Amino acid sequence: MTVSAEKPTMPEKPTMIEFKDVQKYYGDYHALRGITATIKAGEFFSLLGPSGCGKTTLLRTIAGFEGISSGAVLIDGKSMAEVPPNLRPTNMVFQSYAIFPHLTVEQNVGFGLRKDPRSVAEKQKAVDEALGMVGLKGYGKRAAHALSGGQRQRVALARALILKPKVLLLDEPLSALDKKIREQMQMELIKLQREVGITFVLVTHDQEEALVMSDRIAVMFEGEIAQLADPETLYRKPANRKVAEFIGTMNFLPASIVSEDTGKITVDAEGFGRIEINATQVSKANPGDGPSVGFRPETLTLLFDGQTASDRESTATVSEVVYYGDMTYYDVKLAGSDTPLRLSMRNTPGRPVLDIGAPTRVAWSAGAMVLFR
Amino acid sequence: MKFPVLRVYTVLYLIFLYAPIALLPVFAFNSSKVIAFPLAGFSTRWFAEMLNDDLLFRAAKATLIIAVSSSILATCLGVLAARASTRFRFPGKGGVMGLIMLPMILPDIIVAMSLLVVLLAMGVNLSLLTVILGHVLICTPFSVAILTSAFQSLDNSLEEAAYDLGETPLSTFRLVILPLVMPGIVSSLLICFTISIDEYVIASFLGGNQTVLSVYIFGQFRFPAKVPAMLALGTILVALSIALLTIAEYFRRRGIAKTGAKDTGGFL
């Protein structure tokens, strides 16, 4: 998540996948509305969006399972228009894993090597290596159908990676796993991607998963890319209110613009009073909506006895408490505002968990706030 | 105590179903010509008499040829139709599939009559081939019904995965789809084989001078002296049926164990 600091020092990566104004219609339904984007070689790229936004369709146009109505998809500089899935330099990990149930684990992993001219012994070595890579050493002779969900996931990965594709496509690969295994697999996938250096394109509807795993993320709504950026930019400066609401939690307060100077905009925000927002921190509001300021829960901090704010503080009332063990999420209402604001506090020893209705003080700073207009 | 109505009903029902079949071997091994109790004594002469009947062997051979060819042909057609109906969308699909399934409920006599009229009008000589045609017609709907459920339980992404891993659509069918629908294909072959073996109307209408087993057996019942030999034949057929079903069930269970699929009870 915090790799952006070292990004400028890295040499510019060559382009691996290029979408040029990709349009896709299913009858009257406009599934992809002019997708133009590039995915770089060796990148962990995610397509993120709610179900029905076209992210899976876009992934399947890379694999070749979906044709496109107009535009072009290029992989490594070559147009894929006439190339069927079996001849594309891509391999896919399916949402259902698509493990062949009538074959053993190693027959599954070696499935794509059937036409490989190498000797049987060499192929066996490649299969063993692939199994070792995904942590399934010694599982080769097992029946594929007897594996657990996480193991199937690994077999699907090994089966795709053994062919050394230029691009590995992952269609919601973790959505069928329990939370614990899912988080473990996220880490393993990141590690694996760094090891093999292959371009990974992941489809997910889970914003947290996308933030954790990706170098860059394309957020999609209704067949369009709403924002394409690295996770930190997406979180800190979402391009519009829809993206802001989809990624993480964001508080919004109605605001009115007082004056605009070069470099900063002065607004009156409900409950906060007059604040100045950096002119670079401006995003689009939903069409027809008035201006509002948006900020993440960690922008607000509760002040306990004796603490003082380093920047500004306001009085507030606790309206909801959600206890998570390591964290407590509070909804607070600022004096003079009826909008509940979500904030998160780390539960340190000795710090009380406040009750609903308790008066409190919150410290905040306008630095991280975004103006939606 | 309450009178166990349902239990008695079940027992009576099963007796009605299986007692006549159980009587076949009893009289087949009875030395008397008369089919009645008390039994006269143990004898295998009816089996010997049956085995010396050349016409019977000709009829059995004809039946076997018809049953094997029509079950294979119907199953091939069934694979194509089931694949088309589960995997593709095309205009008029509902109507086409409905018409394919229609012979299942169409009385055989209608199929037999209409085929006979058409074949005679076309100047086709009645032979084993014409019976096979008729049997393929009535077996195909059963095959389609069995195979459609087999194809429906296939995850589409298995096919895509094979395609993605470098196989052509044809080799994907051979390497992935065919092995996974094999239990359905075996079921279809067996059902069609059974339907064809005991089919009477079409076989007698379209067989010409080629007599099949069912027609031959019915013909022999006109002669009381021949009846015990037919009971001996019936006994052998029952034994063969049980053997066949046992083998089929063995392969079905083995297939299920191999792919870890859920046991849906098969066709039995």
Side-chain angles (χ1 to χ4, degrees), chain B residues 147-170:
Chain B
L147 287 166
T148 299
S149 78
F151 274 94
Q152 254 162 4
S153 61
L154 271 190
D155 178 2
N156 246 344
S157 56
L158 289 175
E159 209 173 306
E160 285 183 345
Y163 201 16
D164 187 59
L165 292 167
E167 298 298 338
T168 61
L170 208 64

Side-chain angles (χ1 to χ4, degrees), chain A residues 17 42 48 66-67 84 97 102 106 118 126 167 178 180 197 210 215 246-247 270 276 297 303 347:
Chain A
I17 299 172
L48 172 67
E66 299 285 351
Y97 314 139
H102 57 302
E106 61 183 17
R118 282 182 288 175
V167 181
D178 320 338
K180 278 251 165 69
D215 293 323
F246 194 74
I247 308 276
E270 185 186 294
E276 282 176 356
L303 292 172
N347 291 330

Side-chain angles (χ1 to χ4, degrees), chain B residues 151-216:
Chain B
F151 274 94
Q152 254 162 4
S153 61
L154 271 190
D155 178 2
N156 246 344
S157 56
L158 289 175
E159 209 173 306
E160 285 183 345
Y163 201 16
D164 187 59
L165 292 167
E167 298 298 338
T168 61
L170 208 64
S171 60
T172 296
F173 190 81
R174 184 168 63 80
L175 295 168
V176 175
I177 302 174
L178 215 52
L180 290 175
V181 297
M182 200 40 94
I185 289 176
V186 171
S187 288
S188 163
L189 286 173
L190 276 171
I191 287 279
C192 295
F193 187 80
T194 317
I195 291 172
S196 173
I197 283 242
D198 64 6
E199 204 284 332
Y200 182 88
V201 181
I202 292 175
S204 71
F205 270 52
L206 304 183
N209 52 11
Q210 283 280 3
T211 306
V212 301
L213 212 51
S214 58
V215 176
Y216 180 77

